[in-house]
Each structure stands twice: as C-alpha cells, then as structure tokens.
Amino acid sequence: MTTIITVLTEGFADWETALLNAGARSYLGIDTKFATPGGKPVTSAGGLRITPDLAVEDIDPATLDALVVCGGTAWASDAPPDIAAVLVAARDAGKTVAGICDGTLALARAGILDNVAHTSNSADNLTPTGYAGAAHYKDQPQAVVDGRIVTAPGTAPVSFMGGVLETLGLRNGDLDFYLGLYGAEHRAA
C-alpha cells in the first residue's frame, strides 16, 4: 500500500496539507500517517489537536512512499526541529520528499534544494538557511516538481497535492478532475 507520512510541528499550518492527505486517503486509498518531533501531540494554527502516529526520529524510509513537511511557525523559529537526517535518507532511498510554505526551510537546511528546481514563499525566505540552491529557485505561485522533490508556497495547497500525487505515479483523469475542482475558484471569471 502507498504510504504518505506528513511531518507536523506545534502551530502547523493545517490547511497546507489537508487536501493532500484527505484526497489521498479518502479517494485513492493511500495510507496517511503523521509524525512529530519526539512523537509529541501538537496543535495547529487553527487549534486542531493531533496525536501523531510516530516520532519523526522513528521514520524508516523503507516504510513510506512520500515524506511531506507541512509548514508552520516552528520552521522559521530560532530553534527549528532538525529533521535533516530523515529527509536525506528518504531522498536517498528514492522516495518523494515534499515541503510547503515554511516546510521548505527544513528541505533547504538538509541540502535537498541545493541542486533541484524549487519554490517557497519567496527566495528571501530560504536565504537564512544558508542553502546553496538560490540559482534553482522558481518564483511562481504553483508547486514545483523536480524528480521526486516537490515544493510549494503556502498559498498553493492544490498544486502541491497534485505534485506529490504525480510523483507517486497517480496523475490521471481522476486527479486532474480533483485538481480542477479545488482550483476552480482561481479561474478567471
């Protein structure tokens, strides 16, 4: 069974990976799991309390198909969680590694974005991480997919969902319909 593990932190941006996880689980039968640093319960920006399935430290890349980092204030804090080892292990195992909004900061700190096309909330958002991928930054409002790496600004949960599912080989008419359904409000009138 295809498995997506989403990393959440205290104050995570609940809207950013909601469509991905709901669509994957409900419509596609994908196993969705949630991990937090230390395996501790967290509360989202919107007040949603989550008890995770596992600790980030216990993630085994062999048990997943995609590792997704949800945005949130923790990633831009003075002491962000260090999840570089699991991100690099997942990438090196050929798994999809994805980050949205400030979740892209975790990918940048891990060196994941140094040699691939990517985006974030802005180019300046990634600079404080010390990453070496500025030449590959794409200033666009939609998600960027480069191989099995997916990035998006926080305003792009629909194209982020599509990008992650596409890397899992699930791009088809049903996914295109779903993307159109949730992106309809952005069409010109």
Side-chain angles (χ1 to χ4, degrees), residues 8-168:
L8 305 174
T9 56
E10 187 63 33
F12 71 92
D14 30 12
W15 61 93
E16 292 175 350
T17 59
L19 290 175
L20 169 61
N21 284 297
R25 183 175 180 273
S26 297
Y27 296 109
L28 300 171
I30 292 173
D31 187 22
T32 56
K33 295 183 183 217
F34 300 89
T36 63
K40 297 176 182 170
V42 294
T43 302
S44 75
L48 179 65
R49 283 186 260 171
I50 299 292
T51 301
D53 298 297
L54 70 161
V56 170
E57 300 80 7
D58 295 334
I59 293 174
D60 176 358
T63 66
L64 60 87
D65 299 283
L67 182 58
V68 175
V69 182
C70 186
T73 56
W75 302 115
S77 72
D78 291 337
D82 182 0
I83 64 167
V86 72
L87 292 173
V88 169
R91 181 206 55 199
D92 291 351
K95 309 301 180 162
T96 294
V97 176
I100 185 168
C101 192
D102 279 352
T104 60
L105 297 174
L107 276 65
R109 285 186 190 101
I112 303 284
L113 304 182
D114 287 352
N115 298 302
V116 298
H118 61 277
T119 193
S120 183
N121 292 336
S122 71
D124 293 338
N125 191 49
L126 297 172
T127 303
T129 67
Y131 91 120
H136 303 287
Y137 185 82
K138 303 292 181 195
D139 188 18
Q140 67 182 54
Q142 304 85 14
V144 171
V145 177
D146 189 337
R148 303 261 326 210
I149 307 299
V150 183
T151 53
T155 54
V158 175
S159 62
F160 182 70
M161 171 189 66
V164 171
L165 294 176
E166 183 175 323
T167 65
L168 297 175

